[in-house]
Amino acid sequence: MKKKWILILGILIGLASLSSCASYKPMAVVPDLGQNDETVNIRKDGIIAIAYPIRKAEDVKKYFDYSGLVRDGVLPVYISVANTSNQESVKILLSLESPNGENVKPLSAEDVYPILKKGWLLRAGAWSLLWIPLAPISMIDTAMENKKVMKDIKGKQFKEEIAPGLISQGYVFFKINEEIKTLNGFWLAISFGDGRILDKLPLKGSITAD
């Protein structure tokens, strides 16, 4: 009888884990810039920069496993910056300029995380009605997945410091008005760490939110 209950409990825990799994599974890490006609680029003062705004719900889903990121007012922009100098490192700062002249600084990983993190309450609640002792399984499972979410965000972020002859690639996230339907009129401003402005890249394209 004891073995029977152990087996039943194991089955229930397995089912609960499968049902309550809050998985985080982005399908891709970086976009293929060569396949996108919306990329913008510059080559100036020893810097080569290419930027691509992730404005479509299906693309956001592909890279961050959540199609509603732009709908929730966060615009990811993928950028690749090459430091062609053979002598000195550079620090590259990025900002988003809106059509009305507002200058928006990038969000931190901690700012983006609350939007991308997985929730457990609904999943755990459904199981708690039947097996209250199993509810913590969903909490533990989701907490483990959310560690992956934060690690993924930080790992994908653009690194500002670029050594001579190297390339930095990654995402920057900007807070935008949730009602915005197009990026026309927005600019990605690129400057050096000492305040010198390198250039501004025009963004374009309609926003398609989930």
Side-chain angles (χ1 to χ4, degrees):
M1 180 65 71
K2 184 177 180 181
K3 290 183 177 179
K4 179 180 178 181
W5 280 109
I6 292 175
L7 178 61
I8 292 175
L9 181 60
I11 293 173
L12 293 180
I13 291 175
L15 290 173
S17 299
L18 289 174
S19 175
S20 63
C21 181
S23 62
Y24 177 71
K25 297 179 179 179
M27 295 180 289
V29 177
V30 299
D32 184 353
L33 299 181
Q35 298 298 317
N36 294 291
D37 57 6
E38 294 175 7
T39 58
V40 287
N41 60 83
I42 59 166
R43 187 184 187 110
K44 184 178 179 181
D45 295 345
I47 297 295
I48 301 174
I50 305 174
Y52 173 62
I54 313 299
R55 59 178 183 79
K56 298 178 181 179
E58 59 267 29
D59 289 337
V60 177
K61 172 69 174 178
K62 183 190 303 181
Y63 303 123
F64 298 101
D65 195 25
Y66 177 56
S67 59
L69 188 61
V70 179
R71 178 198 63 205
D72 291 342
V74 175
L75 175 69
V77 177
Y78 183 78
I79 185 163
S80 173
V81 179
N83 177 11
T84 63
S85 169
N86 293 320
Q87 299 181 347
E88 59 181 26
S89 297
V90 295
K91 182 176 183 178
I92 296 295
L93 302 178
L94 303 163
S95 63
L96 184 69
E97 290 190 6
S98 68
N100 61 12
E102 181 183 7
N103 189 281
V104 181
K105 302 300 182 184
L107 298 171
S108 66
E110 289 73 19
D111 293 325
V112 179
Y113 170 74
I115 301 175
L116 291 179
K117 72 176 183 178
K118 303 298 181 178
W120 66 270
L121 289 175
L122 181 60
R123 299 177 177 85
W127 282 97
S128 299
L129 295 176
L130 299 177
W131 303 296
I132 292 177
L134 299 183
I137 294 176
S138 181
M139 297 174 61
I140 296 171
D141 174 73
T142 304
M144 292 176 63
E145 287 300 312
N146 281 335
K147 287 183 179 180
K148 295 180 183 178
V149 173
M150 178 60 87
K151 182 179 179 180
D152 188 63
I153 297 171
K154 289 184 174 181
K156 288 178 177 176
Q157 277 189 308
F158 174 76
K159 307 301 188 291
E160 297 177 342
E161 299 285 348
I162 311 174
L166 295 184
I167 299 174
S168 178
Q169 298 176 318
Y171 294 89
V172 285
F173 304 89
F174 297 103
K175 181 64 179 176
I176 60 173
N177 190 305
E178 297 173 12
E179 303 300 320
I180 291 175
K181 303 300 182 183
T182 179
L183 293 178
N184 296 341
F186 282 84
W187 297 78
L188 181 67
I190 305 175
S191 60
F192 292 105
D194 59 10
R196 289 179 295 139
I197 297 177
L198 178 63
D199 212 333
K200 297 179 182 180
L201 299 178
L203 303 184
K204 57 184 179 180
S206 299
I207 291 177
T208 58
D210 184 27

